[in-house]
């Protein structure tokens, strides 16, 4: 029996909070798939299904090549110490040697002049001047000093050995000639170039004073034990100490052998220029720019694993880096082969690549052009060359008297200033004060200076009169290079240095092309070739790399190791009425309906493409495709959005105007949706439906009642769900005042229809009304005929609208937070990041409104694949608009035949899974943004987020960590109605050196879950849920590829390991995991709570490498998961099981398929991937909050808390409402209406 029901059941009401934060993701409709990762591509994936090549069968295990070479001991009987020194480098000066008793200078009898000695300057580099120290060690001169020191000492004693790390440490084997404790050395080096530079004889010397102080020694027996897999720490030395010693040897050996350091703090080095053409897969000659070269190199580091039998390896990974050429020919050449900064090609002049046009005979007066030139020059190092033409006969004769030939005298007339940088003229008396570049070398009004005789001259006239050099382009700019002074641009040439900002698309493409050439199984050959090239390099003393390593009694295997890895199961992907499998981690959406589709209650369109027709086509396509996937869009909303809530921008400065354009679109939509200015709802006897939150954060479905007059407020009809409080909609006046609910009368039944069970559906004939009808437990919309609106009182009495003299709304929209608009659709002309960030600024900070971007250029290029492009965007929208009521998801997954859409282990009992990511400000920025994403269900696909700002540091402060978990716990409880019983944390961005500080972060977590009835003061194992804390390392140089093509999955980019390949043995680094105290286990055992003991506390490593994604191009790069703490392996709640290593691996792999906007497994576990992207985007948006940002009804300002406490300083968002009320949010992301914040 069927019946029309008078009211529609509501959602959970009181449990759902709207304090859930906006997500960040790059949603410009570029398809699914993981990012490029780092280093060798990280498996640059495309979207959709992918395409298989070669052997695509899926094994359960495979042999993988690792870029690890075994580190061996040459002679196991040798005994010596590895001596560590602290290195202090100071500027030196020549001073008179004095008698210590009298203080008088000591006279040299042979010359009758005072004896001179080299001593440190009185003004030393202060140990507390960290900035000055970092700048010094960032330059090449420390290496130059130490290489010269070693060279000088080897000339005295061939057995002298010393290796250096580029900063403040050096080591040497005790069985060779090594420095004494406190040894002092005076070293003279070329200030601005290498000792063997062709121009070295024209570069000034600089003296330094080096002191070597012995700090400690490491017995070789300790190193030998670690290499054999024994316990090195028994001797009191840590694994970190041993690894640091080996890394110093590796880096020092490489650079002393002529390798080029790529970064002061990095182990990466490039092969010498003479070697580059001999390396396999080297594409350095194939460059798009004659002034730059792509150099090939390696990075090496020591790994100690503690594996029985063999516990030490050298990790070797190929790297490439762009460098600015000094000579057009990479192997050098003469003066004519140098790269000038002023170049003429195809009849046009350019300076540092900036086209200046013209013939160069007129000054550059365009300030914008001068600024571009200055910017280009600031990014390169500069050499100055000129030759004196005017011969000084007196000087020439003196040179002849010294026996110099004509060629040698000509060389003396050639001047060189090497490796200079553009800088400001700090001379307050100079015309160029505070300038880096001036427009002309010959205009006295621009720049001139006074000679000793009082005459003022220009730079051009100076060089003519003093040196006989006539400038070819005297009207072109002057540049200032610090101590050398002002120089004409035609003297300037490019210096050899690493390219700054090597982010031009052509440069990126070349790097990717290089890595693609050595991708997959081809990587092993490249690693072997580069290791061989490195081992055969010979230094200036004729010593090869292998011999240098032999000084420390170690050697490196020539071939990498091959290990056995497991391949984890792929899931079955479930849609509504459809099941699909995965192919190497990928699946597709074509023709599927989402299991639970979201609802787009309202949307606005902002079009920046200047292509109105294309935008309209895109919106129509998107709405059509979204509906085909099961996303609900009310028919009147589909009509309103494109016609009445769209703004087409026609200006020229979209980035600056974007905020105002979005405001205009929202205001326009406010009139048409909330105020029904077009009469779309009123004319069809229905109301705009959305959601609203009251001051108690209770969410209810709501219909908007348009204002009674132009300036009046909007009202609300609330879905009451038997909640009497929300039943009434109007206060009406007839013969008496009464409260009533607005209802709908239809022709088909005498039963009144609740407004939430009545709608209007547009069709080809104009449209029809529908009412919701119930058939047992099923519901169905049926076509009906509208008769009228009426009022129904609590006693079921009916009042006709015509009988009402006046009325007012019971609930006003202004008293509630109304979800409006649900979505901003932004149509961008291209993938410009600045434009994208501005749109996201509205979502994350100001409006609390979800936004979805699409790129006109990308959409128009799709051809007949526009529906697929729209599908990619539809899954993003479905993810963003998922609420606690709908719980929308685009797909569900199951592993091993399990029908439950829950992640392994997580679904056993309430488990809080949280991912934390960080982003640090560059340069002088003093902020670090910390974001977190938390699961709201056992499927880990519905997430909520939070975001905080702290003082710049790698470790999360106590306050911020507590804020993160308090917010995450609140959101989890609001959505589920209960507390989690265990915690699984994925922490991104922590280096090996900070692992011990992770313990402080764990302590902060315990404080949040502290039981007030427990005796502990800051949380303990008894009152806390068990915690598993996993550090996710993505910035590493580990490569895991199939040992041969039959072992992997082939694609056009090469053969990579299968998606879900995991390695958890042999090469796992030592020193990661905290051992759980036996006392803690006993405390749990004796607590008589709801926790059970699973097993013993063996302290074995749970670390593993996981390549969750399938790489289509480049070499798939795994994530290194370092398990710092795993209490869940030892105890847990009743009903749960132990979190074993295999459970962690399965759990992490399964979550990789839960990234709500990519139809594939992603590289990072999604809770971390979302967090990192949110942190990076908010970091870019902080600049907009330095000043007050205004938005309708409120203003936003970023304010510092405790500004004087640099360590604990953090920022909060000061929100000032229209009525002057101030809300201070440490969680700086605006509170939205969504409970699912992925994509």
């Amino acid at each position: 029996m069927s019946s029309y029901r008078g009211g529609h059941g509501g959602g959970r009401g009181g449990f759902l909070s709207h304090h859930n934060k906006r997500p960040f993701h790059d949603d410009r409709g570029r398809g699914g798939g993981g990012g490029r990762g780092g280093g060798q591509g990280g498996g640059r994936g495309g979207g959709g299904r992918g395409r298989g090549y070669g052997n695509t069968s899926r094994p359960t295990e495979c042999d993988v090549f690792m870029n690890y070479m075994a580190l061996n001991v040459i002679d196991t009987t040798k005994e010596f110490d590895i001596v560590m020194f602290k290195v202090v480098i100071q500027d030196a000066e020549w001073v008179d040697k004095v008698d210590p008793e009298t203080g008088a200078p000591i006279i040299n009898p042979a010359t009758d002049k005072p004896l001179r000695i080299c001593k440190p300057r009185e003004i030393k580099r202060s140990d507390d001047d960290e900035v000055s120290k970092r700048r010094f060690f960032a330059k090449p001169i420390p290496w130059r000093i130490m290489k010269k020191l070693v060279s000088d000492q080897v000339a005295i004693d061939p057995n002298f050995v010393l290796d250096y790390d580029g900063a403040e440490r050096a080591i040497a084997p005790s069985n060779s000639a090594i420095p004494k404790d406190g040894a002092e050395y005076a070293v003279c080096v070329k200030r601005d170039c290498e000792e063997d530079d062709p121009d070295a004889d024209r570069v000034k010397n600089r003296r330094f004073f080096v002191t070597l102080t012995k700090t400690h020694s490491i017995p070789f027996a300790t190193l030998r034990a670690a290499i054999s897999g024994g316990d090195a720490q028994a001797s009191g030395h840590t694994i970190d100490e041993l690894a640091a010693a080996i890394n110093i040897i590796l880096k020092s050996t490489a650079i002393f052998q002529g390798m080029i350091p790529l970064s002061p703090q990095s182990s990466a080095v490039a092969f010498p220029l003479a070697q580059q053409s001999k390396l396999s897969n080297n594409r350095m000659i194939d460059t798009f720019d004659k002034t730059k070269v792509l150099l090939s190199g390696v990075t090496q580091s020591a790994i100690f694993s503690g594996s029985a039998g063999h516990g030490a390896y050298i990790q070797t990974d190929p790297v490439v880096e762009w460098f600015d050429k000094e000579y057009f020919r990479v192997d050098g050449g003469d003066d004519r082969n140098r790269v000038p900064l002023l170049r003429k090609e195809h009849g046009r002049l350019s300076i540092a690549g900036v086209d200046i046009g013209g013939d160069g005979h007129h000054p550059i007066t365009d300030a914008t052009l001068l600024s571009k030139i200055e910017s280009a020059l600031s990014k390169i190092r500069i050499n100055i060359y000129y030759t004196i033409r005017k011969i000084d006969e007196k000087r020439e004769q003196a040179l002849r008297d010294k026996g110099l030939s004509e060629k040698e005298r000509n060389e003396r007339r050639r001047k060189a200033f090497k490796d200079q940088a553009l800088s400001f003229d700090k001379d307050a008396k100079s015309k160029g004060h505070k300038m880096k570049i001036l427009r002309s070398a010959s205009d006295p009004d621009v720049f001139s200076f006074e000679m000793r005789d009082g005459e003022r001259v220009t730079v051009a006239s100076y060089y003519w009169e003093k040196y006989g050099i006539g400038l070819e382009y005297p009207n072109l700019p002057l540049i200032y290079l610090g101590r050398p002074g002002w120089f004409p641009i035609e003297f300037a040439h490019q210096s050899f240095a690493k390219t700054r900002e090597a982010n031009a698309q052509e440069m990126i493409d070349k790097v990717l092309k290089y890595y693609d050439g050595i991708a997959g199984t081809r990587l092993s050959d490249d690693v072997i070739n580069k290791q061989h090239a490195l081992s055969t390099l010979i230094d200036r003393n004729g010593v090869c790399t292998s011999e240098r390593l032999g000084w420390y009694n170690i050697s490196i295997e020539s071939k990498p190791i091959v290990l056995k890895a497991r391949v984890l199961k792929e899931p079955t992907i479930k849609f509504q009425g459809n099941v699909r499998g995965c192919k190497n981690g990928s699946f597709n959406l074509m023709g599927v309906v989402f299991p639970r589709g979201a609802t787009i209650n309202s949307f606005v369109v902002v079009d920046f493409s200047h292509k109105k027709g294309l935008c309209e086509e895109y919106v129509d396509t998107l709405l059509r495709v979204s509906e085909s996937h099961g996303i609900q869009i009310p028919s009147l909303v589909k009509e309103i959005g494109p016609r009445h809530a769209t703004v087409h921008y026609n200006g020229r400065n979209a980035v600056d105007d974007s905020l105002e354009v979005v405001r205009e679109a929202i205001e326009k939509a406010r009139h048409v949706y909330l105020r029904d200015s077009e009469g779309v709802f009123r004319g069809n006897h229905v109301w705009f439906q959305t959601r609203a939150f009251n001051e108690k954060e209770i969410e209810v479905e709501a219909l908007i009642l348009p204002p009674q007059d132009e300036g009046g407020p909007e009202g609300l009809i609330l879905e009451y769900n038997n909640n009497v409080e929300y039943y009434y909609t109007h206060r009406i006046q007839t013969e008496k005042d009464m409260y009533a609910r607005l209802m709908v009368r239809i022709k088909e039944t005498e039963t009144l229809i609740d407004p939430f069970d009545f709608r209007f559906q547009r069709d080809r004939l104009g449209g029809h009304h529908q009412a919701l009808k119930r058939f047992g437990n099923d519901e169905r919309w049926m076509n009906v005929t509208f008769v009228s609106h009426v009022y129904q009182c609590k006693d079921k009495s009916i009042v006709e609208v015509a009988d009402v003299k006046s009325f007012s709304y019971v609930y006003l929209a202004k008293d509630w937070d109304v979800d409006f608009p649900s979505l901003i659709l932004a149509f961008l002309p291209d993938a410009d990041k600045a434009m994208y960030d501005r749109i996201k600024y509205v979502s994350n900070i100001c409006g609390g409104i979800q936004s979805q971007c699409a790129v006109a250029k990308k959409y128009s290029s799709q051809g007949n694949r526009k529906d697929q492009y729209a599908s990619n965007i539809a899954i993003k929208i479905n993810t963003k608009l998922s609420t606690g009521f709908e719980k929308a998801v685009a797909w569900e997954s199951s592993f091993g035949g399990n029908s439950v859409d829950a992640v392994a282990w997580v679904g056993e009992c309430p488990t809080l899974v949280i991912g934390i990511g960080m982003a640090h400000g560059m340069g002088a920025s003093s902020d670090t943004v910390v974001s977190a994403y938390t699961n709201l269900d056992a499927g880990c696909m519905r997430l909520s987020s939070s975001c905080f700002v702290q003082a710049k540091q790698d470790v999360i402060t106590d306050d911020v960590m507590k804020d993160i978990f308090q917010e995450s716990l609140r959101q989890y409880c609001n959505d589920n109605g209960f507390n989690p019983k265990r915690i699984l944390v994925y922490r991104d961005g922590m280096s090996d050196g900070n692992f011990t500080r992770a313990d402080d972060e764990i302590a902060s977590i315990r404080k949040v879950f502290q039981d007030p009835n427990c005796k502990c003061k800051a949380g303990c194992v008894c009152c806390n849920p068990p915690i598993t804390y996993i550090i996710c390392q993505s910035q590493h140089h580990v490569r895991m590829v199939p040992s041969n093509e039959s072992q992997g999955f082939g694609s056009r980019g090469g053969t990579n390991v299968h998606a879900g390949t995991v390695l958890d043995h042999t090469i796992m680094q030592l020193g990661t995991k905290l051992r759980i105290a036996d006392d803690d286990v006993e405390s749990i055992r004796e607590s008589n709570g709801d926790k059970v003991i699973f097993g013993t506390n063996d302290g074995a490593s749970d670390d593993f490498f996981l390549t969750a994604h399938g790489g289509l191009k480049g070499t798939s790069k795994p994530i290194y998961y370092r398990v710092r703490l795993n209490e869940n392996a030892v105890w847990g709640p009743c009903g749960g099981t132990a979190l074993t290593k295999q459970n962690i691996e399965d759990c992490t792999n399964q979550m990789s398929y839960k990234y709500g906007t990519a139809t594939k497994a992603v590289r990072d576990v999604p809770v971390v991937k979302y967090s990192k992207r949110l942190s990076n985007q908010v970091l870019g948006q902080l600049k907009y909050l330095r000043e007050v940002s205004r938005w309708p009804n409120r203003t936003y300002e970023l304010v510092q808390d405790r500004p004087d406490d640099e360590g604990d300083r953090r920022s909060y968002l000061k929100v000032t409402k229209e009525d002057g009320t101030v809300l201070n949010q440490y969680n700086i992301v605006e509170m939205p209406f969504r409970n699912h914040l992925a994509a």
Side-chain angles (χ1 to χ4, degrees), residues 680-696:
V680 174
F681 297 104
R682 187 184 296 109
N684 292 297
H685 312 296
V686 292
W687 306 268
F688 167 57
Q689 183 169 351
T690 183
R691 298 178 183 88
F693 294 86
N694 66 8
E695 59 185 8
K696 298 179 181 179

Side-chain angles (χ1 to χ4, degrees), residues 829-1077:
D830 51 42
D832 177 63
K833 186 177 184 300
M835 185 74 224
Y836 176 80
D837 284 346
R838 289 295 276 175
I839 297 297
K840 289 302 171 184
Y841 174 64
V842 175
S843 288
N844 290 339
I845 310 295
C846 292
I849 304 167
Q850 295 286 16
S851 61
Q852 178 60 56
C853 298
V855 177
K857 186 177 180 180
K858 181 75 172 180
Y859 175 75
S860 62
S861 68
Q862 296 297 308
N864 60 0
R865 298 176 72 248
K866 289 179 179 176
D867 280 12
Q868 183 173 338
Y869 180 88
S871 287
N872 290 332
I873 291 183
I875 61 170
K876 298 169 188 275
I877 292 174
N878 193 74
T879 301
K880 294 176 183 182
L881 299 186
S882 176
T883 67
F885 176 73
E886 292 174 327
K887 303 186 185 299
V889 293
W891 64 84
E892 296 175 338
S893 59
S894 64
F895 290 78
N898 182 9
S899 61
V900 179
D901 183 38
V903 171
W905 187 80
V906 175
E908 295 176 349
C909 64
T911 304
L912 182 75
V913 181
I914 183 168
I916 304 174
M918 305 176 76
H920 307 287
M922 300 292 288
S925 173
S926 59
D927 291 318
T928 289
V929 178
V930 186
S931 298
Y933 272 76
T934 306
N935 72 314
L936 298 176
D937 60 5
C940 295
M941 201 163 178
R942 296 181 52 252
L943 310 171
S944 63
S945 66
S946 56
C947 185
F948 301 86
V949 179
Q950 66 176 33
K952 189 174 181 179
Q953 54 187 302
D954 293 329
V955 180
I956 302 172
T957 64
D958 181 64
D959 283 340
V960 170
M961 184 61 90
K962 288 189 294 186
D963 285 344
I964 286 173
F965 273 83
Q966 286 167 353
E967 182 69 12
S968 299
L969 179 63
R970 187 184 61 77
Q971 294 183 31
Y972 184 92
C973 295
N974 283 345
D975 194 79
N976 293 284
F978 47 76
N979 286 325
K981 294 185 177 181
R982 52 192 184 185
I983 302 169
L984 175 57
V985 182
Y986 290 93
R987 165 71 156 89
D988 178 72
M990 181 170 283
S991 63
D992 290 5
N994 283 328
F995 275 16
T996 55
R997 300 194 64 186
D999 307 344
D1000 297 332
E1001 297 182 359
I1002 295 170
S1004 299
I1005 298 172
R1006 295 196 193 280
K1007 295 175 186 177
V1008 175
F1009 292 88
Q1010 178 188 5
D1011 186 342
N1013 297 319
C1014 185
K1015 296 179 180 179
C1016 69
K1017 296 181 179 180
C1020 67
V1021 295
C1022 291
C1023 66
N1024 271 212
I1027 299 171
T1028 297
Y1029 196 92
I1030 304 175
I1031 297 168
C1032 312
Q1033 293 183 327
S1034 58
Q1035 300 301 313
H1036 56 72
H1037 293 279
V1038 179
R1039 297 293 178 265
M1040 183 167 64
V1041 299
S1043 60
N1044 57 65
E1045 292 190 359
S1046 66
Q1047 297 283 321
F1049 187 92
S1051 70
R1052 286 169 293 182
T1055 301
N1056 275 300
V1057 295
H1058 292 269
T1061 300
V1062 64
L1063 181 74
D1064 58 11
H1065 61 88
T1066 305
I1067 59 172
M1068 301 302 111
Q1069 289 179 239
L1070 289 172
T1072 300
K1073 189 175 178 182
L1074 284 175
R1075 189 181 186 280
I1076 298 171

Side-chain angles (χ1 to χ4, degrees), residues 295-320:
L295 296 187
S296 174
V298 295
T299 178
Q300 289 189 304
S301 58
I303 302 296
F304 288 90
S305 67
S307 298
H310 203 96
Y313 300 90
I314 302 301
Q315 185 186 91
T316 302
D317 192 37
V319 296
V320 290

